Amino acid sequence: AQSVTQLDSHVSVSEGTPVLLRCNYSSSYSPSLFWYVQHPNKGLQLLLKYTSAATLVKGINGFEAEFKKSETSFHLTKPSAHMSDAAEYFCVVSGPYTGGFKTIFGAGTRLFVKA
Amino acid sequence: EAGVAQSPRYKIIEKRQSVAFWCNPISGHATLYWYQQILGQGPKLLIQFQNNGVVDDSQLPKDRFSAERLKGVDSTLKIQPAKLEDSAVYLCASSFRDRGSPYTEAFFGQGTRLTVV
């Protein structure tokens, strides 16, 4: 069975300060993990993905995430927030499932960036 | 490359009416997904196709929802009859199953915002 939990429904930071969006997962197998971003009235865009290669994954727009198997976590970070980072962020786990594979979205974390 | 195309972008219907959504995935993508995203929630997978076969439809309310992908390319999702709680954004996504990498990311369309009144 697989599940994903985003620990914060809302995160608020000031522009120029670090961003941390937390994600824990549960999977019976080695999963693939993704972070997507959704800007208002826009489609979902892939930020980065982990697929059992390097545990520190760099994505677009300065975001990165570290896969920690011992903590079953895949937290998303960015050293310095920009106003344009304000959006909804989804952590996603994908792994084997009877007959194929299954992809599950977290509930999302809304990031607010203050000027 | 062209992205995932969905239509219509917006739809307003009365409860008990029928509605259909269309999706054209990225060329060459074997896997197609339909997600339902209710306001304030993460997307929930309704159905997943691999070519024209169904891989997972465990969360599809089959008494009112149906989906098909007859030629393994584009797909339609239908709701009949609609209920107020079906108001949501319906997202279509596709992915390319790369044999060298078991799980590849999904590319999403802009979605169809359905309002049932």
Side-chain angles (χ1 to χ4, degrees):
Chain A
Q2 295 177 129
S3 66
V4 58
T5 303
Q6 292 184 243
L7 300 169
D8 307 291
S9 60
H10 299 86
V11 169
S12 182
V13 301
S14 296
E15 190 174 24
T17 64
V19 176
L20 170 64
L21 306 183
R22 299 182 295 165
C23 172
N24 285 356
Y25 71 92
S26 172
S27 178
S28 302
Y29 302 90
S30 293
S32 287
L33 294 158
F34 308 83
W35 275 99
Y36 283 84
V37 61
Q38 187 175 39
H39 290 274
N41 298 316
K42 297 258 180 97
L44 284 150
Q45 180 185 21
L46 179 72
L47 275 178
L48 49 81
K49 64 178 180 179
Y50 166 77
T51 55
S52 74
T55 57
L56 182 61
V57 181
K58 293 188 184 298
I60 61 172
N61 300 334
F63 285 94
E64 61 182 38
E66 185 171 8
F67 173 71
K68 292 186 176 180
K69 187 175 182 179
S70 60
E71 299 176 11
T72 62
S73 69
F74 191 58
H75 301 334
L76 181 70
T77 61
K78 183 173 180 178
S80 176
H82 191 272
M83 294 297 288
S84 61
D85 295 328
E88 187 90 21
Y89 291 80
F90 294 98
C91 183
V92 179
V93 62
S94 183
Y97 173 75
T98 303
F101 61 96
K102 197 160 189 172
T103 300
I104 298 174
F105 275 73
T109 298
R110 181 162 294 277
L111 177 64
F112 297 93
V113 182
K114 299 174 288 186
Chain B
E1 65 182 6
V4 176
Q6 288 188 248
S7 67
R9 286 294 311 276
Y10 305 92
K11 190 74 177 180
I12 301 174
I13 62 172
E14 294 182 351
K15 58 183 178 183
R16 291 188 289 275
Q17 285 188 322
S18 302
V19 64
F21 312 127
W22 174 82
C23 172
N24 190 26
I26 293 173
S27 178
H29 281 194
T31 307
L32 185 148
Y33 316 77
W34 282 104
Y35 287 87
Q36 179 193 58
Q37 186 176 19
I38 293 173
L39 186 66
Q41 299 180 17
K44 181 183 82 171
L45 180 68
L46 292 176
I47 189 166
Q48 177 179 332
F49 293 94
Q50 183 72 18
N51 296 308
N52 60 351
V54 176
V55 172
D56 181 6
D57 64 356
S58 56
Q59 298 195 87
L60 186 73
K62 298 181 185 63
D63 57 334
R64 298 184 300 106
F65 286 65
S66 64
E68 60 183 13
R69 194 186 184 198
L70 291 175
K71 298 181 180 178
V73 181
D74 56 351
S75 175
T76 56
L77 175 70
K78 297 179 182 178
I79 307 175
Q80 179 180 10
K83 293 185 175 182
L84 295 176
E85 59 260 37
D86 298 331
S87 295
V89 175
Y90 291 84
L91 296 163
C92 179
S94 69
S95 67
F96 173 72
R97 290 295 306 279
D98 182 348
R99 288 183 184 277
S101 176
Y103 318 121
T104 55
E105 69 269 25
F107 294 82
F108 285 81
Q110 295 277 61
T112 296
R113 182 178 298 277
L114 174 67
T115 303
V116 183
V117 298

